[in-house]
Amino acid sequence: MTRRIALSVLALITAILVLAVVPLGLLMTEREQTSFRDQAAAKTRSIASAAEEHLSDRKSDAAARALLEEAHERGDCATVYDSSGHVLLSTPCSEVAEDDSAGLVSSELAHPDTRVLQDDQWLTTAVPIGDASDPVGVAVLSRPADPLHDRILAMWGWVALIGVGGLGTAVLMSVLLARWVGRPLRVLDKAAQQLGEGALDARAPGEGGPQEVRRLAATFNTMAARTEALVHGHRAVVADVSHQLRTPLAALRLRLDLLAADAEGDTATELADAQGEISRLSRLVDGMLAVARAEHAVPRPVPVRVDRLVAERVAAWEPVADAGRVRLAADCRPGLSAFLGEGDLEQVLDNLVANALDAVQEGGRVLITGSRQGGTVQLRVVDNGPGMTRAARESAFRRFGNHEATGTGLGLAIVHRLVTANGGTAELLDSPGGGLTVALSLPEPRRGRDRGSGRSQRSGTATSDT
């Protein structure tokens, strides 16, 4: 945006300078040319007046000769012709007009009037001597055009210098204006990025920049403060619920264990069923807390080597897979990286591998694949187990939505939450030949992102089965 503002202001100032300076230069050029012609015509008329005293009144030609000498000293060429077209007086360089002098003098004697001829080198002015209706001669003055060209060139030089100075000032002003507007917006953008990555204490400075930007920064700071308060409030609620639920459940289980120790017959059976329900309730509480922690976590994404983590989790779960006689393998592209909260991918993989190993039968297989597609990392966990019905797949990512699950039904909900919180997507598909495929789309690291090892701001996470 800073560049666009600077270029827009610069283009506007440039257009104003061009529209103002160029016409001014053309007008000044025309005035210089007009002044140059008028001065030449005035000098020619002065010579014509002095020559008229000699031709009409038969006086001495000293005055006319003096004017011709002055013209010669200025670099002009002057010639006085009589009514027959013969040269009476001239300067040494009068030959400059000899090519057209005969025609010019004849035309001037036939139609007495001031005539001006100009080319790139000379300006020639012809003025009739005496009465306009019956001239007694013609005065011709040829002045070199170099002084005129020099003045015009100097004038355009000053005009160009003024234009360049104005353009330089415009560049400076546009850059300062763009920075004045753009710098607080960049700071605000950085603060918003930090807040989105989990830094709940990120704030934008409220000073500097236009009033609208300062007001936007103040609104952002208010939003960030409320978000921080809400997140911390939810975490406090999760901690309180954890203590309030687990303590009575533990006490209830202990009482049931004591009663079951002395019970017999039908009473012992009923107490065993009650103990099973208490165990199931404990697992549900643990699952609820795990989902709550995942939902209220604010991870700060960092670049994560997907290929290395997949290899580590496969190695960690291989003993479990071997015990169940299930083949666990990975086919992940080397050097694959994703942008996720620290520790999130490990928990996602643990949940998915645990679910898959529970689902497949003896002799089954679980395959983890990873590839790059566009700007995302495609990670898939494929098994050849019984799979899931369409209705179950549609509700599996909701808390307690998977009624076909044998556990708490929260593992996939945690996976979905962790993946989407980092800007990715999760989808359940049928595996070719039968089974379930969990397809994850994870964002790749981009340039300019924070590549530090920021810690995820979560109060704790837990792995839960489906």
Side-chain angles (χ1 to χ4, degrees), residues 266-340:
D266 294 338
T267 302
T269 302
E270 293 295 332
L271 288 175
D273 293 339
Q275 287 175 319
E277 291 298 324
I278 289 295
S279 297
R280 181 173 175 272
L281 183 59
S282 297
R283 291 196 302 271
L284 286 175
V285 170
D286 291 339
M288 289 175 59
L289 293 175
V291 173
R293 292 187 184 107
E295 288 183 346
H296 299 305
V298 186
R300 184 158 192 171
V302 294
V304 176
R305 283 294 297 271
V306 177
D307 55 336
R308 294 177 181 174
L309 280 179
V310 169
E312 290 176 3
R313 302 325 299 161
V314 168
W317 283 94
E318 273 183 346
V320 180
D322 293 339
R325 296 185 179 181
V326 176
R327 186 168 61 91
L328 177 62
D331 181 14
C332 196
R333 179 176 177 178
L336 203 60
S337 296
F339 201 61
L340 301 170

Side-chain angles (χ1 to χ4, degrees), residues 198-216:
L200 298 179
D201 57 347
R203 298 294 185 271
E207 66 278 358
Q211 181 180 358
E212 293 78 7
V213 178
R214 295 197 299 270
R215 186 162 56 246
L216 178 61

Side-chain angles (χ1 to χ4, degrees), residues 97-351:
E98 286 183 356
D99 294 339
D100 300 325
S101 60
L104 180 62
V105 171
S106 299
S107 176
E108 188 68 24
L109 292 173
H111 303 284
D113 195 7
T114 301
R115 283 179 169 78
V116 178
L117 301 178
Q118 185 174 0
D119 56 24
D120 293 338
Q121 296 181 349
W122 296 90
L123 174 70
T124 301
T125 305
V127 175
I129 300 174
D131 192 357
S133 59
D134 185 19
V136 296
V138 176
V140 178
L141 177 69
S142 294
R143 174 166 290 182
D146 290 341
L148 173 63
H149 295 160
D150 293 341
R151 288 200 297 272
I152 292 177
L153 184 61
M155 180 269 298
W156 276 107
W158 281 106
V159 169
L161 184 61
I162 294 174
V164 170
L167 191 61
T169 304
V171 170
L172 180 61
M173 291 180 59
S174 62
V175 170
L176 292 178
L177 176 62
R179 289 183 176 179
W180 180 63
V181 176
R183 183 181 292 109
L185 288 178
R186 287 194 299 271
V187 174
L188 179 60
D189 176 72
K190 184 177 180 181
Q193 184 179 6
Q194 292 174 348
L195 180 65
E197 292 180 350
L200 298 179
D201 57 347
R203 298 294 185 271
E207 66 278 358
Q211 181 180 358
E212 293 78 7
V213 178
R214 295 197 299 270
R215 186 162 56 246
L216 178 61
T219 304
F220 170 81
N221 291 337
T222 302
M223 178 195 68
R226 291 180 177 178
T227 301
E228 184 179 17
L230 287 174
V231 171
H232 289 318
H234 283 304
R235 289 175 179 170
V237 170
V238 170
D240 292 342
V241 169
S242 175
H243 289 290
Q244 294 297 326
L245 289 179
R246 285 179 173 177
T247 300
L249 282 175
L252 183 58
R253 170 178 281 182
L254 179 61
R255 289 176 179 271
L256 289 175
D257 290 341
L258 293 175
L259 292 174
D262 298 330
E264 298 179 354
D266 294 338
T267 302
T269 302
E270 293 295 332
L271 288 175
D273 293 339
Q275 287 175 319
E277 291 298 324
I278 289 295
S279 297
R280 181 173 175 272
L281 183 59
S282 297
R283 291 196 302 271
L284 286 175
V285 170
D286 291 339
M288 289 175 59
L289 293 175
V291 173
R293 292 187 184 107
E295 288 183 346
H296 299 305
V298 186
R300 184 158 192 171
V302 294
V304 176
R305 283 294 297 271
V306 177
D307 55 336
R308 294 177 181 174
L309 280 179
V310 169
E312 290 176 3
R313 302 325 299 161
V314 168
W317 283 94
E318 273 183 346
V320 180
D322 293 339
R325 296 185 179 181
V326 176
R327 186 168 61 91
L328 177 62
D331 181 14
C332 196
R333 179 176 177 178
L336 203 60
S337 296
F339 201 61
L340 301 170
E342 189 174 6
D344 286 353
L345 186 56
E346 292 94 325
Q347 185 175 358
V348 167
L349 289 173
D350 286 342
N351 276 341

